[in-house]
Amino acid sequence: MKRVLPGFGLSLGCTIVYLSLLVLLPLSGLAFKSSSLDWSQLWAIASGERALASYRVTFGASLLAALINALFGLIVAWVLVRYRFPGKRLVDSLVDLPFALPTAVAGITLATLYAGNGWVGRHLEPLGIKVAFTPLGIVVALTFISLPFVVRTLQPVIEDIEPEIEEAAATLGASRLQTFMRVILPGVFPALLTGSTLAFSRAVGEYGSVIFIAGNMPLISEITPLLIISKLEQYDVVGATALAGVMLVISFALLLGVNALQWWAANRHHGKHAVSL
Amino acid sequence: MSIQICGVGKKFGNFVALDNIELDIPTGELVALLGPSGCGKTTLLRIIAGMETADSGHVKFAGEEATHLHARERQVGFVFQHYALFRHMSVFENVAFGLRVKPRSERPPEAEIRRRVMDLLKLVQLDWLAERFPSQLSGGQRQRIALARALAVEPKVLLLDEPFGALDTKVRKELRRWLRRLHDEMHISSVFVTHDQEEALEVADRVVVMNQGRVEQIGTPDEVYSNPASPFVYQFLGNVNVFHSRLHGHWADVGRDVAGDGAAKTPADGEAMAFVRPHDIDIERGPVVGGLEATVQDVHAIGPLVRVELAHDSELIEVELTRERATVLELNKGQRVWLKPRQVKVFSVAEAALEEHGSGI
């Protein structure tokens, strides 16, 4: 078959080599290493009390962070696309800061701010809210580092929604809330799902910023990546690999599920028929 | 429902979009707002719809003050140039939207919604597309769905913003005849915005010609075409030849003193511009009394018409002849002929200069 654009073979080859080197090879190394354990040993390590608690903290805090960002990221993206205000460019680049800032710096900064004597923590402490060195601190750190994912995914999609759509809804008698719930939200939902998933995945793998603010108490505020590091520090490579394998499986299953959901959300509005013109 | 617009003005920064507009639209009329882009016609339509607020003046519906009503309380149907359909909803749900968002107490039962939506889809002849999504429809179909959606809430006024602007010529012609029929069946007041003079003249009961935020002329299509109130209206509605001339009492001396000579460039009392439509000029092979001598530059046959370009001194004059007349005349390039205008409209230079001043916007 003759193609208009040359280089399909070359570019596909590049893609496969690149992905193999960067993604598949390390992952198969992980699988290979954990296969030196038999199933019962693996299960024992992966379902240990500390391990289970760390999954809860990691996935729970990440989910919470993703949900918080889904809400506030949507608001930020909406404001950045729809309104003009002085300093808009500045705010827009501020969103990217969590991408650029070394995560350790973010962790230390947040820990200082939210500690009992910090600028923010000082006012929260009398109210009985402890942030630094508790699971709540983990949520704060994860929310910080995963914000850009939601905002940057939503921005182009919101730009795509014509303001006329809102005007059309208004002339048809819809209130602001009805316009948002029935017209705007269904339009941005697939992108919101994608953004939140990216934020969630990023949060699950986060290490640098969390360890400074979490307090890292076993069973309470210890995240799985930290548990893996501490196993490695004790030269328990096999144990570390087992935990890593568990995270890999859970993350992959979640991503697969969300991708299926996205595919469904994106396709249900286009039907099966060919476009008739 | 009638619409009154009293002294409406609107500015965007320093740009005057609307300047003290007075307009009265009686119940049941189909009115076209016609003008070049930037003349304020869309702004006026959006002010009637309540999507834009006027800086000054009032909008009244059936004599009642509506200036400060929100768009959703005005009971107007609005059709957008680019359809503005809800992409994630089926055609059926798009049309049903206006009924579904009604407060619970006013919302018709599901069966009633179903019946009304299907009736509307039958009205726009697209009931077989109910389950499709907007992305699966052609432009013409989308615009008809948008119209059905606007009609679902039984508006008192239907407003259309360049409704056929994004469609190709054939579909556009079909749809505008269909809109005319629909308007006659629905007995509501309709206002549509267009920059296409042919569309306005063909469809509307009355045409409002606008320029630079002002109303130039209001009249039936025949009135604005055959009796334009200003040089702008003359030039905007169809092709026109402009002759610089000198007024002698009631006579415009077009024949001897045309543009190009020094006198015409300095406006003085008695200077005037004469407007003649290309189809209002006759060509004779021999000299005629009061005729202009000219040379044939080019002859094009365009469909049923023959367009002849002639040179008179340095001026280019366009004449449209019927095919029969052109056959009789047997015109050739370079031939000398005599022109005789059948209908001329003369405006003073001062009036004309005022128009030319901002026609580029």
Side-chain angles (χ1 to χ4, degrees), chain B residues 256-261 293-295 297 311-316:
Chain B
R256 284 183 295 276
D257 250 339
V258 284
D261 63 358
E293 199 179 340
T295 317
Q297 294 271 358
H312 171 86
D313 290 349
S314 57
E315 294 265 302
L316 195 71

Side-chain angles (χ1 to χ4, degrees), chain B residues 35 162 229 250 332:
Chain B
E162 305 237 359
H250 291 296
N332 292 310

Side-chain angles (χ1 to χ4, degrees), chain B residues 282-302:
Chain B
D282 205 7
I283 297 181
E284 297 290 346
R285 293 179 65 110
V288 277
V289 181
L292 287 178
E293 199 179 340
T295 317
V296 177
Q297 294 271 358
D298 230 330
V299 182
H300 308 278
I302 303 164

Side-chain angles (χ1 to χ4, degrees), chain A residues 106-124 131-132 140 213:
Chain A
I108 293 166
T109 313
L110 288 173
T112 319
L113 273 180
Y114 286 96
N117 53 2
W119 286 352
V120 181
R122 200 186 311 162
H123 303 291
L124 291 177
V131 179
V140 171
I213 198 172

Side-chain angles (χ1 to χ4, degrees), chain A residues 160-162 164-165 167-176 178 182-183 186 268-271 273 275-277, chain B residues 46 51 71-72 76 78 80 82 84-89 97-98 100-101 132-133 135-138 149 153:
Chain A
D160 226 30
I161 301 175
E162 314 128 272
E164 287 180 354
I165 292 283
E167 291 173 348
T171 58
L172 292 168
S175 66
R176 279 162 207 268
Q178 284 172 321
R182 287 167 175 262
V183 176
R268 81 198 142 124
H269 303 312
H270 299 288
H273 309 281
V275 177
S276 67
L277 288 170
Chain B
R46 290 172 60 86
M51 292 176 201
R72 71 173 159 270
V76 296
F78 202 99
F80 297 84
H82 296 287
L85 291 175
F86 306 129
R87 277 182 278 185
H88 60 280
M89 291 182 202
F97 184 85
R100 293 206 194 281
V101 296
R132 298 274 183 96
F133 284 93
S135 60
Q136 298 168 307
L137 308 182
S138 69
R149 182 181 68 175
V153 288

Side-chain angles (χ1 to χ4, degrees), chain A residues 207-241:
Chain A
Y207 172 75
S209 63
V210 177
I211 51 161
F212 291 101
I213 198 172
N216 306 323
M217 281 172 292
L219 302 178
I220 297 166
S221 59
E222 189 178 49
I223 54 169
T224 316
L226 180 72
L227 202 59
I228 294 172
I229 296 279
S230 58
K231 284 214 186 290
L232 283 176
E233 277 169 351
Q234 294 156 25
Y235 302 104
D236 182 7
V237 178
V238 179
T241 330

Side-chain angles (χ1 to χ4, degrees), chain B residues 198-260:
Chain B
E198 196 188 317
E199 192 169 293
L201 295 179
E202 183 182 331
V203 178
D205 293 317
R206 279 203 303 161
V207 179
V208 179
V209 186
M210 291 182 68
N211 184 33
Q212 294 180 281
R214 282 175 292 117
V215 173
E216 292 275 339
Q217 187 174 5
I218 303 174
T220 64
D222 190 44
E223 273 165 23
V224 293
Y225 187 78
S226 49
N227 199 9
S230 69
F232 171 81
V233 178
Y234 221 117
Q235 282 173 310
F236 195 71
L237 292 173
N239 289 331
V240 70
N241 293 298
V242 183
F243 296 93
H244 296 265
S245 59
R246 188 164 287 164
L247 283 177
H248 301 299
H250 291 296
W251 280 90
D253 196 349
V254 182
R256 284 183 295 276
D257 250 339
V258 284

